[in-house]
Amino acid sequence: MSVLLSSMKSLVTGIKSMFSNKAYFQTEDGEKFHVQFNPEQFRITKTTEYSSSQQKEQPYVEFSGIALPQLEISFFFDTSGITEISGSGSVIESDVTVLTNAFLSLLNVKTDLHRPPVVKFIWGSVCFEGFLKQAAVTYTMFNKNGMPVRASADALVLGVPDVSTVKIPLESPDRTKARTVSDETSLWGLADAEYGDISQWRVIARANGIMDPFDIPAGTVLKVPALK
């Protein structure tokens, strides 16, 4: 039993030693998930939205808002050959799902929040904050007993706006408008387009009785009230 316990402690120590200076995800309650190996690259996408129409036989394009930024990132896990550091030189294998399940748990709904937590992806000077919208794990290597020991992971994080840098406009709309929601519409983008201030998305939410700004069906007609 003491030999087995020693081996397990060596395995845990070996895995932990891989996480120094690594990229990690941090939830809004401070919980951290370190990736095992730093990603080779990641992609941040920001998009502006425009609507087009035909007026007097001439095409007309109108700016309609700013979509939420997105982070796309891929990395991998490998527990196929961790050498015991006690000096015996033996190789200890562990089920890689211990790591992948911890990563996928970032999508779990928190009881106190009634939604998954906001997460930050942090690596060096990069800090991207948002909701983990999609996560996929592909198991690519198994030991002779069928235990998965290697996997790749892909994540899509939907960013949240930084309202701390938003300037309040000098003038506000003086009449109520109606806007139809598309698949790419967000309350933040709508508030930016109509008010020039993304922090005013709550005004639109209150006017339309919206409790969850991420759950607005396409085709919904929203009332955009005048600011007082």
Side-chain angles (χ1 to χ4, degrees):
M1 181 63 70
S2 60
V3 174
L4 176 60
L5 181 60
S6 176
S7 297
M8 290 301 295
K9 287 183 177 179
S10 298
L11 174 61
V12 172
T13 302
I15 292 178
K16 285 184 176 180
S17 66
M18 297 180 182
F19 294 148
S20 58
N21 300 320
K22 301 298 182 182
Y24 62 93
F25 292 89
Q26 179 173 311
T27 66
E28 57 189 288
D29 57 3
E31 182 180 354
K32 292 183 179 180
F33 172 79
H34 290 260
V35 303
Q36 189 179 8
F37 302 98
N38 287 331
E40 293 184 358
Q41 62 180 16
F42 58 88
R43 181 180 183 182
I44 295 176
T45 305
K46 294 186 176 181
T47 307
T48 54
E49 298 177 346
Y50 295 86
S51 59
S52 61
S53 61
Q54 198 79 12
Q55 294 186 359
K56 296 181 180 181
E57 300 182 354
Q58 294 293 326
Y60 176 77
V61 178
E62 180 182 10
F63 173 71
S64 57
I66 299 177
L68 295 178
Q70 293 186 345
L71 167 71
E72 299 171 79
I73 186 171
S74 299
F75 46 92
F76 70 97
F77 306 95
D78 189 346
T79 57
S80 60
I82 299 176
T83 304
E84 186 180 358
I85 51 181
S86 62
S88 67
S90 60
V91 173
I92 307 171
E93 290 186 325
S94 177
D95 194 331
V96 76
T97 60
V98 174
L99 300 178
T100 58
N101 287 342
F103 167 63
L104 293 173
S105 70
L106 296 175
L107 284 166
N108 293 346
V109 175
K110 294 287 188 180
T111 305
D112 56 335
L113 299 174
H114 306 289
R115 58 167 173 77
V118 174
V119 300
K120 292 180 181 179
F121 172 73
I122 301 174
W123 186 19
S125 60
V126 175
C127 180
F128 187 95
E129 184 176 11
F131 289 94
L132 184 58
K133 182 178 181 180
Q134 181 177 326
V137 173
T138 304
Y139 297 97
T140 58
M141 183 175 175
F142 307 82
N143 69 4
K144 61 182 180 181
N145 297 319
M147 181 176 67
V149 293
R150 184 176 296 170
S152 60
D154 300 291
L156 174 63
V157 182
L158 184 66
V160 294
D162 180 9
V163 298
S164 64
T165 60
V166 175
K167 295 181 179 180
I168 300 176
L170 298 178
E171 297 180 359
S172 300
D174 57 0
R175 60 188 178 89
T176 298
K177 303 176 183 178
R179 292 291 183 262
T180 302
V181 174
S182 69
D183 290 334
E184 302 299 325
T185 304
S186 68
L187 291 189
W188 297 275
L190 191 57
D192 183 65
E194 298 297 332
Y195 303 139
D197 182 0
I198 60 177
S199 67
Q200 297 294 342
W201 68 269
R202 295 180 179 84
V203 174
I204 303 174
R206 285 195 297 268
N208 293 274
I210 295 173
M211 302 299 295
D212 184 354
F214 293 98
D215 186 22
I216 307 175
T220 302
V221 178
L222 295 180
K223 179 172 65 176
V224 182
L227 291 182
K228 297 180 179 180

